Amino acid sequence: MRARDLAVEYPIVEPDSSALDAARLVAEHRLAGLIVVDSDRWPIAVIPGSQLLRYIIPPHVRDDPALARVYDEHHADRLCAKLAGKSVADLLAEERTALPAVDAQATAMEIASIMAANRSPVVAVSSAPDRTDAPMIGVITVAHLLDRLLPRPTAD
């Protein structure tokens, strides 16, 4: 099983995309994160869903999660309003997470080790063997990788 066989299409956003639309994309498609590409569609970063949450949670609550209890549901429902008028570039400015990449020939173990080392829910798959800087042909998510690695249940 090679990376090229596991790669799938995945939603992408550009730095000038709306941060609110990006969050909606994560929610609607139940994504672990988003791939950010430049104008030539070269991958430049990944935005994990947890980074979206980090952006909308007030800094004092991030510093002391016990303060989250003081927010009632009405205020919690309005947290995402902070994303209005912001771009994906604004999210990247706070904390950019490089998009890990594997070449088309990478094995499942290589893919898993790159994901684990980078704490990334996705890796880009390069179109070229032995190169990670070629155009992206797709991505591999943790869910897709585990689906292929886990043994199938046996019928008893």
Side-chain angles (χ1 to χ4, degrees):
M1 176 173 21
R2 300 292 178 170
R4 71 176 171 277
D5 303 320
L6 293 171
V8 296
E9 287 190 33
Y10 198 80
I12 57 172
V13 293
E14 293 184 358
D16 61 347
S17 299
S18 157
L20 197 53
D21 289 344
R24 284 189 182 109
L25 195 59
V26 168
E28 289 171 9
H29 295 279
R30 306 279 192 250
L31 302 172
L34 287 172
I35 305 296
V36 183
V37 297
D38 66 15
S39 59
D40 294 324
R41 299 182 61 86
W42 281 73
I44 57 173
V46 62
I47 299 178
S50 58
Q51 186 173 335
L52 281 169
L53 289 175
R54 183 174 169 75
Y55 189 83
I56 65 172
I57 295 171
H60 62 279
V61 176
R62 287 191 312 237
D63 294 340
D64 185 359
L67 294 175
R69 275 204 187 262
V70 302
Y71 283 82
D72 60 19
E73 289 305 309
H74 172 71
H75 285 95
D77 289 343
R78 294 187 1 205
L79 284 174
C80 285
K82 184 176 180 183
L83 294 173
K86 301 291 182 186
S87 69
V88 167
D90 295 326
L91 301 177
L92 292 175
E94 185 170 302
E95 184 178 321
R96 182 174 288 226
T97 304
L99 178 61
V102 295
D103 67 69
Q105 295 285 63
T107 65
M109 182 59 84
E110 289 172 303
I111 298 162
S113 67
I114 293 292
M115 285 179 164
N118 289 279
R119 297 180 182 199
S120 179
V122 295
V123 296
V125 179
S126 166
S127 59
D130 303 321
R131 285 187 48 211
T132 58
D133 62 346
M136 181 176 79
I137 60 171
V139 303
I140 300 170
T141 67
V142 170
H144 289 118
L145 184 60
L146 286 174
D147 183 55
R148 292 296 298 266
L149 294 177
L150 287 169
R152 299 287 171 225
T154 58
D156 291 329

